Amino acid sequence: MKIRFGTGRRCINPELPISLAGYFNRREWNHVKDDIEVRAIVFRSGADVAALINFDLLCVTGELYDEVLDGIRRAGFSEITPDNLLVCAIHTHTAPDVRNDPNSAAYRRFAAAKALEALGDAVAAENSGELLGGMAADPRFLFNRRYWMKDGTVVTNPGKLNPDIMRPEGEIDPQIPMLAVRTDAGLQLLITSIVNHTDTIGGCGVSADWAGFLRRALEAEMAPGAMVAQLIGASGNINHFDVATDMDQTCYAEPERIGSGYADTIRKMLHTLAPVTGNGLRALSAVVKAGTRELAAEEIAAARETVKRFADVDTSKVGSEVNMTSEDLAKGAPFALKYFAEQLLRLADGTPAPEFRLSCLRFGDSAVIASLPSEPFVEIGLELRRAIFHDKLCLVASHGNSNGGPGYGGGYIPNPWNYGRGGYETTPRSSGYSVRTSEILLAAWRDLAAK
């Protein structure tokens, strides 16, 4: 399939004091381990156009999404609208916090402005090429991080070599769908979708995590000026921790190991890329409304009792003077129990229902890029790829088009059956959406796929 395309990129390293995102604790950045960036890609076929903006950030909040849209309107890119634009993030936990930091608003304006510059470059650099598609697979670096324990409960990240682990609660998705554009100069664009968390480093250094290592390794071997855009698939319950080993997997050597490993796997499969069949480009979108988290009277009463029982525990220090991890909740640490109870009670006070925009970019008759909001569990992505788009090459882009609107800085989207078993992803603090959200999103995708 022949297609016109253009690419642009900008560095978005922070220039002001701001915490890095992705943990309960404040981590103000103090150095840059490797550059983070925003990438813009424009596709055109005849009169049809679509755009993809890919941030090296934890997520795309509703505020950041609106900043990008407002910038597009002000810049006069009239062809690009919410109906043919997909904005997503790689979910790196070592990028500036675009949600809750005092300087988040200023950084969002900076990142959105850089995205507009990258988009302008992409529009100005349109070229013709052949669209290719293919598939790789690599199971080495991903694990379902929720485990059935001997006591019959499910625990997230139960700790390495924990003797009480029975088995993983769910499955993994090692497949790596790929879209590429080749010109006379060689491979000019490569888009991949990998199911894994980009959370391997910790600390206070800015980094694109393993996705950055993957991108730099492959771009060095592609045509001059080539771009790799890494989409993150449905990986809310997936990470890189191998609990069967005591290997240190929170260090800067880890993203290099994982990113280089994925790059090797993809590199070996580039020769199998084949032309996408059919012609034309089509962009579709749908706005989906989901309810807020259903809270039983018993849950609210239990949360109030927890807050009362630990009245002398000061949770205001969580994130500043007190560090907290998901393991603290699993161990039943008082400050973690009270913190999560307080979050449940805040949710019970009333939060606007989330609203999601799903985006689908269809290429020819055999390839699609499909968005999902926030952090969906792997089974949701598998249903989308294997059942709904079973006859097409489907790249899933999670953290797409905001997390549900103002008031939602993020949130996990588990399957209905995950609730009530344990693990912090299903707590009201971590999943403020209705327990039916995955079913609502998949039903909407079935309607979009039919179109």
Side-chain angles (χ1 to χ4, degrees):
M1 172 182 164
K2 298 296 183 182
I3 196 164
R4 290 191 63 78
F5 75 103
T7 63
R9 70 205 319 160
R10 284 292 187 277
C11 178
I12 55 171
N13 291 342
E15 299 175 350
L16 71 172
I18 191 169
S19 177
L20 302 182
Y23 295 93
F24 301 110
N25 315 308
R26 179 174 176 80
R27 298 174 298 138
E28 188 168 305
W29 77 279
N30 55 28
H31 64 289
V32 174
K33 289 183 177 295
D34 52 78
D35 292 340
I36 58 174
E37 60 180 38
V38 58
R39 292 163 291 278
I41 307 168
V42 173
F43 297 102
R44 188 184 301 274
S45 179
D48 296 312
V49 64
L52 172 67
I53 294 177
N54 183 221
F55 283 102
D56 287 343
L57 294 173
L58 181 80
C59 61
V60 178
T61 62
E63 294 85 354
L64 177 57
Y65 181 70
D66 289 343
E67 287 265 7
V68 172
L69 288 179
D70 289 345
I72 287 172
R73 296 187 188 103
R74 291 195 305 269
F77 294 123
S78 57
E79 290 183 299
I80 300 173
T81 72
D83 290 328
N84 61 10
L85 171 68
L86 199 171
V87 184
C88 59
I90 69 166
H91 198 55
T92 176
H93 289 54
T94 40
D97 183 0
V98 292
R99 303 170 301 172
N100 303 315
D101 189 89
N103 282 323
S104 288
Y107 182 80
R108 287 196 302 266
R109 291 192 293 270
F110 165 77
K114 292 298 182 181
L116 265 292
E117 293 176 12
L119 183 62
D121 288 349
V123 171
E126 280 192 21
N127 192 8
S128 295
E130 184 176 29
L131 188 67
L132 311 172
M135 184 73 76
D138 194 336
R140 293 177 294 167
F141 308 113
L142 67 162
F143 301 85
N144 195 297
R145 69 183 189 180
R146 290 168 54 87
Y147 291 87
W148 283 109
M149 310 300 284
K150 290 180 180 178
D151 65 1
T153 64
V154 170
V155 174
T156 303
N157 296 329
K160 286 173 169 287
L161 303 178
N162 188 327
D164 293 326
I165 293 174
M166 295 289 288
R167 65 185 185 280
E169 182 197 33
E171 53 188 314
I172 62 172
D173 181 3
Q175 290 193 303
I176 305 173
M178 303 177 288
L179 275 177
V181 179
R182 183 170 56 207
T183 68
D184 292 340
L187 205 61
Q188 202 73 47
L189 173 65
L190 177 64
I191 306 173
T192 68
S193 176
I194 292 179
V195 176
N196 209 338
H197 250 76
T198 25
D199 176 19
T200 67
I201 305 171
C204 297
V206 172
S207 172
D209 210 278
W210 59 258
F213 279 96
L214 181 153
R215 171 175 55 79
R216 293 187 294 272
L218 291 176
E219 286 178 351
E221 302 172 12
M222 294 166 61
M227 174 180 288
V228 173
Q230 177 56 57
L231 309 181
I232 300 299
S235 54
N237 53 344
I238 302 295
N239 69 13
H240 69 294
F241 284 117
D242 182 357
V243 298
T245 78
D246 60 358
M247 179 175 69
D248 180 9
Q249 293 190 267
T250 305
C251 58
Y252 197 54
E254 188 68 351
E256 182 173 14
R257 181 182 76 91
I258 295 173
S260 299
Y262 278 137
D264 287 342
T265 295
I266 291 168
R267 184 183 298 111
K268 292 172 183 175
M269 297 303 294
L270 291 179
H271 74 281
T272 67
L273 292 171
V276 170
T277 59
N279 293 295
L281 164 70
R282 189 178 183 192
L284 292 171
S285 73
V287 174
V288 181
K289 293 184 178 180
T292 53
R293 177 66 175 268
E294 302 84 354
L295 297 172
E298 294 82 1
E299 289 181 282
I300 296 173
R304 287 176 176 152
E305 176 58 31
T306 297
V307 172
K308 181 179 178 181
R309 179 157 44 106
F310 299 119
D312 60 338
V313 175
D314 184 3
T315 57
S316 68
K317 296 180 179 179
V318 169
S320 56
E321 300 176 37
V322 176
N323 290 333
M324 187 173 73
T325 68
S326 61
E327 287 86 348
D328 292 311
L329 180 64
K331 294 173 183 175
F335 63 87
L337 294 175
K338 184 179 180 182
Y339 176 84
F340 275 82
E342 289 173 336
Q343 298 301 313
L344 184 150
L345 294 175
R346 289 193 183 96
L347 189 63
D349 287 339
T351 303
E355 188 173 277
F356 305 113
R357 178 177 288 274
L358 304 181
S359 293
C360 181
L361 309 183
R362 193 201 74 190
F363 303 88
D365 56 20
S366 60
V368 298
I369 299 176
S371 78
L372 284 170
S374 289
E375 295 189 68
F377 275 23
V378 65
E379 293 86 356
I380 301 166
L382 285 168
E383 177 75 10
L384 185 55
R385 286 202 311 106
R386 295 180 181 175
I388 296 175
F389 286 116
H390 61 91
D391 59 340
K392 293 178 174 59
L393 177 71
C394 176
L395 284 71
V396 174
S398 65
H399 306 280
N401 297 344
S402 96
N403 292 320
Y408 289 94
Y412 291 93
I413 303 178
N415 307 286
W417 60 83
N418 298 116
Y419 292 91
R421 293 176 172 180
Y424 83 95
E425 301 96 339
T426 58
T427 64
R429 182 268 171 199
S430 298
S431 180
Y433 313 128
S434 166
V435 299
R436 294 189 56 250
T437 298
S438 64
E439 297 173 326
I440 293 168
L441 292 173
L442 288 172
W445 266 116
R446 291 186 188 95
D447 290 340
L448 270 176
K451 296 178 182 180

